Amino acid sequence: MVKAANPIADILVIDDDPIIRRILQRMLQSQGYRVAIAETAADGLEQALAITPPVILCDWRLPGSIDGLEICRRLKEHPDLSMSSFLLITAHAETASRVEALEAGADDLLMKPSDTAELNARVKSGLRLSQLTRDLKEQKQYLENELAEAASYVQSLLPRDTDKPPVKIQTRFLPSQQLGGDCFDFYWLDPDYLVMYLLDVSGHGLGAALLSTSVLNVLRSQSLPGTNFYRPDKVLESLNNMFQMTDQNEKYFTIWYGVYNRVNRQLMYASAGHPPAVLLSPPPAAKPDSGNNGAAIAETLRLRTPGMPIGMMPDTTYTWKRCSIPDDSYLYIFSDGVYEVPETSVAETGEILGLDSFIEHIVKCPRPGQLDDLISHAIMPSIAIGQDLADDLSLLEINFS
């Protein structure tokens, strides 16, 4: 007859030999432990799931198709029991047997016949290991919750999309598995000048996120002393002076920064080690002999200036450029995480989509103004085949209406 499981137990003993069960039970109870016993593999698995004891003692050789090794494998795969210390009871002292047990997930072996002092020592070690594992899991969960809260806070700082003339702005931010360092913003310096930028901090984790939000707050509050925020190059120089990597735990960041004048439809911009922004302008009227079957092709312009990433070198000088913005143009600003994703057709080779291919997707996007279409055509195929995001994906689309 199978004994009912104790509602609470420190140790579960699984052994088909009634004499060994009784000996182990008495030895352990004499040390003050609460002990549950199981006669069969099936009963042992059932009780382990019901009790989730810190320590499990299990005979290696059990009758039937399920032996101690298989019980160990099954319990170690269970999320609630993976933290329990599993001790295999065996008469085999060979190295090969020990290796086999450890590879199955056993935490220790207990040799037959059991010595009281050795049994007590190994059980105490198992209890300490189980408690340490549980503490580590709780700490890991706590840190994951903190990182998730930090990630949520960072996303809450990002601006909302707008469809108010003279510009329509859509944004997309797809975070990676880790807390990243992407950040972007747009706002009006005055009724005629619109600021837009996107930055990408090196590395991942809390340090990268803290730096990106610090830069966002500095730019949003315009608290760079003596800086002309209408001049992109001067903004980058001031940021470089304020955020040297020697003072930022060796972290630097790339940035693309632009200022749009809605009156004369001019865009001034500067970049610091960042991917180029892409301006997609309406195609000119197609001529019958244009060679493309009468289909007009949108004009693209890559907007980028030379410059070291912010924080790498002190006293760096940055340059700016200017371009005209045709009516109904689209400007795309993005981080390198957008195109540094595996190319679906060659994912197994490790090749990435790449900047040129991503820009081709921008041009071929069936409905300009639909970021979801662009993402689904260029990025989502890689995610759909099981690829994890190694970096944050940040993308701004600005329609100059």
Side-chain angles (χ1 to χ4, degrees):
M1 179 178 179
V2 177
K3 296 183 179 181
N6 293 347
I8 299 176
D10 303 306
I11 303 168
L12 170 63
V13 176
I14 308 173
D15 201 306
D16 64 307
D17 189 322
I19 296 177
I20 294 179
R21 282 202 311 271
R22 187 59 177 166
I23 291 174
L24 291 174
Q25 185 178 31
R26 286 186 174 182
M27 292 172 65
L28 294 169
Q29 287 177 339
S30 69
Q31 299 297 319
Y33 297 118
R34 295 165 295 185
V35 183
I37 60 174
E39 302 174 11
T40 65
D43 183 30
L45 289 170
E46 181 180 350
Q47 291 203 50
L49 292 171
I51 302 171
T52 60
V55 176
I56 300 172
L57 299 177
C58 182
D59 188 16
W60 188 320
R61 307 300 178 190
L62 292 172
S65 60
I66 303 178
D67 62 5
L69 283 180
E70 181 60 25
I71 293 177
C72 180
R73 293 189 185 96
R74 294 189 185 186
L75 295 185
K76 285 298 182 179
E77 291 175 354
H78 195 282
D80 295 333
L81 290 163
S82 61
M83 296 175 292
S84 297
S85 292
F86 196 96
L87 281 67
L88 270 174
I89 305 172
T90 179
H92 302 284
E94 298 87 357
T95 300
S97 297
R98 291 180 175 273
V99 171
E100 186 180 8
L102 294 174
E103 288 182 345
D107 298 289
D108 207 344
L109 275 78
L110 185 64
M111 302 306 299
K112 293 180 180 180
S114 301
D115 175 76
T116 303
E118 182 183 6
L119 173 64
N120 190 40
R122 293 191 183 277
V123 167
K124 283 184 177 180
S125 176
L127 288 170
R128 288 194 299 268
L129 178 61
S130 176
Q131 186 59 50
L132 177 61
T133 304
R134 293 176 190 277
D135 291 343
L136 288 175
K137 183 176 182 180
E138 290 179 2
Q139 186 66 20
K140 179 176 179 292
Q141 186 61 54
Y142 172 78
L143 291 175
E144 289 177 350
N145 292 340
E146 289 291 297
L147 289 175
E149 185 176 348
S152 178
Y153 171 72
V154 171
Q155 292 191 49
S156 72
L157 296 177
L158 301 179
R160 296 179 179 273
D161 294 358
T162 178
D163 58 359
K164 296 180 180 179
V167 294
K168 297 180 181 178
I169 304 177
Q170 292 190 70
T171 66
R172 293 294 183 272
F173 175 69
L174 303 180
S176 64
Q177 298 297 321
Q178 305 179 58
L179 187 62
D182 280 13
C183 205
F184 54 82
D185 201 2
F186 53 85
Y187 50 86
W188 292 92
L189 286 172
D190 64 36
D192 293 332
Y193 286 86
L194 174 69
V195 165
M196 63 204 76
Y197 68 85
L198 190 151
L199 65 95
D200 184 3
V201 178
S202 62
H204 297 91
L206 190 58
L210 287 175
L211 179 54
S212 69
T213 54
S214 296
V215 176
L216 181 143
N217 289 328
V218 164
L219 291 176
R220 187 172 286 179
S221 62
Q222 299 182 36
S223 55
L224 289 171
T227 301
N228 181 354
F229 284 88
Y230 294 84
R231 285 282 301 274
D233 57 324
K234 300 303 180 184
V235 172
L236 299 192
E237 289 174 7
S238 295
L239 288 174
N240 188 64
N241 292 331
M242 177 176 285
F243 294 100
Q244 277 296 299
M245 62 186 297
T246 53
D247 301 322
Q248 304 297 328
N249 198 25
E250 300 303 314
K251 292 193 177 297
Y252 60 89
F253 62 91
T254 67
I255 185 171
W256 191 98
Y257 185 96
V259 179
Y260 173 63
N261 184 335
R262 72 178 185 89
V263 176
N264 60 21
R265 302 187 66 86
Q266 295 285 311
L267 175 66
M268 298 174 290
Y269 61 91
S271 59
H274 201 81
V278 175
L279 181 64
L280 186 66
S281 302
K287 298 179 181 180
D289 60 349
S290 60
N292 56 16
N293 297 322
I297 300 176
E299 295 184 340
T300 60
L301 184 63
R302 302 187 187 194
L303 309 182
R304 186 179 191 177
T305 61
M308 296 285 289
I310 301 296
M312 275 194 167
M313 296 289 293
D315 302 321
T316 300
T317 299
Y318 295 90
T319 60
W320 66 280
K321 291 184 179 180
R322 186 200 312 267
C323 69
S324 298
I325 303 296
D327 188 31
D328 203 28
S329 296
Y330 290 85
L331 180 68
Y332 294 88
I333 312 171
F334 43 85
S335 63
D336 58 9
V338 168
Y339 57 83
E340 290 184 350
V341 294
E343 176 65 46
T344 305
S345 60
V346 291
E348 295 181 356
T349 69
E351 296 185 33
I352 62 173
L353 176 66
L355 177 61
D356 292 339
S357 295
F358 179 70
I359 293 177
E360 289 179 8
H361 280 288
I362 292 178
V363 176
K364 296 176 181 178
C365 186
R367 288 177 292 168
Q370 300 295 320
L371 282 189
D372 291 333
D373 284 340
L374 177 57
I375 291 174
S376 65
H377 281 78
I379 302 169
M380 292 308 292
S382 294
I383 301 174
I385 61 174
Q387 299 292 332
D388 292 330
L389 290 179
D391 199 1
D392 292 344
L393 308 180
S394 299
L395 177 61
L396 277 69
E397 179 189 74
I398 303 168
N399 177 218
F400 300 93
S401 58

